Amino acid sequence: MPPSTDKVEAARACASNQMKKNVVLTVPSNTSIIGNGSTAKIIHGNLKISGASSSAPVDNVVIRNVAFEDAFDFFTAWDPTDSGGRWNSNYDNVSILYATHVWIDHCTFSDGARTDDQFPSVWAAPYDGDLYHVQHHDGLLDMTKSANLITVSYTHLHDHAKSMLMGGTATASLTAETPGVLKTTFHHNYFQNLVQRKPRVRYGMVHIYNNYFAGSNSVTLYNWM
């Protein structure tokens, strides 16, 4: 896509590209990230567990005892094709794509103190201002593009709008978003004060058991969603 001819949008895109260099942390194969003690955190970062393609995935990754907090996008973009128009962030707390044999265990995911309801709506008619707040956070833990053989266990996800997504598009394909993968197990997790995607499963073979759900989709923090 060529650079925008709009100077403001071009400046936003430039700043967004610079931010990406600082907040995205890539994880290679055969890696374990284990938090030491009760204060291990990754704040304002996007942990990306990703290979190059479905035929060259990252494999064998363990993330344990880490709190992921506030993957905040300062330069969020307006997407008129998303549900009739939405402000979208670039960053999940953890993104799993083109990856296999991933275990997320005893972790915590949230927006921290900087929840999206604190930020103003940017809108104009015919859009409803209650729906069009700028979204500075995306998913807490998203699995897309041939992610496979994933376990999420004993993990706390809380105070966020879009929690977990499996499958990144509404249309399946034989390569990037195939229903033949996304084999995932969720067990002994705590979903608290989340609006949606607990999890949202577009594709995959999902085993969910012994999880605890608290709150509802009318959580006060996110009554604008």
Side-chain angles (χ1 to χ4, degrees), residues 175-194:
T175 53
E177 299 288 356
T178 170
V181 293
L182 289 169
K183 298 180 177 70
T184 307
T185 297
F186 301 98
H187 70 86
H188 295 91
N189 301 297
Y190 180 19
F191 296 83
Q192 180 187 27
N193 293 344
L194 302 166

Side-chain angles (χ1 to χ4, degrees), residues 5 25 30 47 62 81 84 107 136 139 150 160 170 199:
T5 57
L25 311 172
N30 303 312
L47 202 69
V62 175
T81 67
C107 291
H136 290 285
I150 300 162
H160 182 79

Side-chain angles (χ1 to χ4, degrees), residues 30-34 60-64 101-105:
N30 303 312
T31 298
S32 293
I33 300 175
I34 311 296
N60 190 28
V61 173
V62 175
I63 312 294
R64 192 171 194 272
H101 299 103
V102 178
W103 183 25
I104 309 293
D105 180 64

Side-chain angles (χ1 to χ4, degrees), residues 94-109:
V94 173
S95 305
I96 304 173
L97 56 158
Y98 300 131
T100 57
H101 299 103
V102 178
W103 183 25
I104 309 293
D105 180 64
H106 282 86
C107 291
T108 300
F109 294 85

Side-chain angles (χ1 to χ4, degrees), residues 114-135:
R114 189 162 51 172
T115 52
D116 277 348
D117 64 299
Q118 300 173 43
F119 298 92
S121 176
V122 180
W123 65 283
Y127 299 113
D128 180 349
D130 287 339
L131 292 176
Y132 295 94
H133 282 250
V134 176
Q135 177 186 292

Side-chain angles (χ1 to χ4, degrees), residues 52-191:
S53 67
S54 57
S55 59
V58 161
D59 183 66
N60 190 28
V61 173
V62 175
I63 312 294
R64 192 171 194 272
N65 195 41
V66 178
F68 294 91
E69 189 174 293
D70 194 17
F72 190 92
D73 187 352
F74 285 93
F75 306 105
T76 186
W78 173 257
D79 183 355
T81 67
D82 183 358
S83 303
R86 290 291 189 273
W87 291 94
N88 286 331
S89 164
N90 277 329
Y91 307 114
D92 308 317
N93 282 18
V94 173
S95 305
I96 304 173
L97 56 158
Y98 300 131
T100 57
H101 299 103
V102 178
W103 183 25
I104 309 293
D105 180 64
H106 282 86
C107 291
T108 300
F109 294 85
S110 77
D111 290 347
R114 189 162 51 172
T115 52
D116 277 348
D117 64 299
Q118 300 173 43
F119 298 92
S121 176
V122 180
W123 65 283
Y127 299 113
D128 180 349
D130 287 339
L131 292 176
Y132 295 94
H133 282 250
V134 176
Q135 177 186 292
H136 290 285
H137 302 91
D138 198 12
L140 292 178
L141 174 58
D142 282 5
M143 292 154 250
T144 60
K145 295 184 178 177
S146 302
N148 201 19
L149 304 173
I150 300 162
T151 296
V152 182
S153 58
Y154 295 96
T155 286
H156 184 196
L157 304 99
H158 65 94
D159 296 296
H160 182 79
K162 296 188 290 188
S163 174
M164 304 173 74
L165 176 66
M166 301 182 64
T169 66
T171 304
S173 71
L174 296 178
T175 53
E177 299 288 356
T178 170
V181 293
L182 289 169
K183 298 180 177 70
T184 307
T185 297
F186 301 98
H187 70 86
H188 295 91
N189 301 297
Y190 180 19
F191 296 83

Side-chain angles (χ1 to χ4, degrees), residues 24 29 33 70 222 225:
V24 177
S29 292
I33 300 175
D70 194 17
Y222 298 102
M225 283 297 295

